Amino acid sequence: MPNRETAGNPGGGTDIVPAGQSRSSTQSIFGSLIDAISQIQQFAVIERTGQDIPDDFLTIRGKLNFFNMGFGNGFLEGLIFALLTALTLPVISDDGLNLWVERFFPMARSKFFLWSLTCAPIIITGGICCFLSKYRIGVLTRNAVDSLLTGRLISLAIKGIVIFILLVFLSSHLTPETVWKAAYGISLQKREVAEVIYRIIWHIKPHLIPTAYRTLLVFCTAALTPFFSIWLVSFCRRIRRRQLELYQ
């Protein structure tokens, strides 16, 4: 037929794959997470038609591309989280800075809002990854989704551990002398500005250890939630199939 091409099946049958979904398409390098999800959606369309697709249709290179996309996206999530934490933690820790920021941005008075803002990139991407459970329906989509989420999980785990160690290290090495030297250098040796910076940094210190543990919790939750979502959806599908079998 003009709109299909066949691939050999080791079991002796014939696997039907729509044109445009050749083996080379499973080895493409994705430009963004949306591109990877779009490819998974195309795989799901194939599998929903009931076509028999061999396990090796998604090659090692294809799985590695999904893994790399998940790893890179997880690294970007962690980087944005770290930058937003560096911006919001001083505002949360120091009342004087909080009052100054509040004049321009009234929502800064809410610590819950500031923490939600910090976690927003991870929450959004985590929600998108949970959405993938809808398309994890067959061998091909399982391989693609699992590779993508595993890459993201490993990346978030590494980033979370690095941030945790860094915050603990800073907490144990911030002394009045080192803080003053840092503040004096940052202020370009202007004493009044240095005193303000010193006050802000010193007020941050008690918050470093709680923030370190909170970061681990956020990263673990963000990494594991998509897997839990997949398990829950798969469990519901099994129950639905059993109910249909009972009624037949």
Side-chain angles (χ1 to χ4, degrees), residues 4 16-18 37-53 130-142 145 233 237 240:
R4 294 184 176 181
I16 310 246
V17 180
I37 294 175
S38 298
Q39 182 69 77
I40 292 172
Q41 288 178 312
Q42 292 180 356
F43 291 163
V45 170
I46 300 173
E47 294 186 323
R48 279 176 178 155
T49 61
Q51 299 179 25
D52 186 17
I53 302 174
C130 289
F131 178 70
L132 288 174
S133 58
K134 175 182 178 182
Y135 300 105
R136 191 177 178 273
I137 57 178
V139 174
L140 188 57
T141 49
R142 279 200 302 269
V145 171
V233 171
R237 282 174 180 161
R240 193 178 300 115

Side-chain angles (χ1 to χ4, degrees), residues 67 70-71 144-156 227:
F67 179 90
F71 189 93
V145 171
D146 291 351
S147 297
L148 180 69
L149 295 184
T150 300
R152 179 175 179 268
L153 184 148
I154 294 176
S155 179
L156 288 179
F227 288 97

Side-chain angles (χ1 to χ4, degrees), residues 14-25:
T14 301
D15 303 305
I16 310 246
V17 180
Q21 287 295 336
S22 62
R23 289 179 183 270
S24 61
S25 68

Side-chain angles (χ1 to χ4, degrees), residues 79-201:
L79 181 61
I80 295 175
F81 178 88
L83 292 176
L84 290 176
T85 299
L87 292 175
T88 58
L89 188 58
V91 179
I92 293 173
S93 305
D94 187 75
D95 292 336
L97 181 60
N98 185 278
L99 289 174
W100 183 81
V101 174
E102 187 180 324
R103 291 188 301 171
F104 306 96
F105 192 64
M107 292 296 292
R109 73 184 67 176
S110 171
K111 292 183 178 180
F112 175 78
F113 173 79
L114 292 176
W115 276 113
S116 299
L117 179 64
T118 303
C119 298
I122 292 180
I123 293 173
I124 293 172
T125 307
I128 293 174
C129 291
C130 289
F131 178 70
L132 288 174
S133 58
K134 175 182 178 182
Y135 300 105
R136 191 177 178 273
I137 57 178
V139 174
L140 188 57
T141 49
R142 279 200 302 269
N143 289 336
V145 171
D146 291 351
S147 297
L148 180 69
L149 295 184
T150 300
R152 179 175 179 268
L153 184 148
I154 294 176
S155 179
L156 288 179
I158 294 174
K159 197 73 174 181
I161 293 172
V162 170
I163 294 176
F164 177 84
I165 294 174
L166 178 61
L167 291 176
V168 172
F169 176 83
L170 288 176
S171 178
S172 61
H173 287 75
L174 285 180
T175 63
E177 293 79 12
T178 57
V179 172
W180 175 251
K181 288 180 180 179
Y184 199 65
I186 294 173
S187 65
L188 301 178
Q189 301 181 355
K190 296 180 180 179
R191 188 173 185 84
E192 292 183 358
V193 178
E195 289 176 352
V196 174
I197 297 175
Y198 175 88
R199 185 201 71 213
I200 294 173
I201 297 177

Side-chain angles (χ1 to χ4, degrees), residues 235 237-247:
F235 179 73
R237 282 174 180 161
R238 285 197 299 268
I239 292 178
R240 193 178 300 115
R241 282 197 300 266
R242 290 177 183 177
Q243 290 176 342
L244 291 175
E245 291 173 357
L246 290 176
Y247 286 116

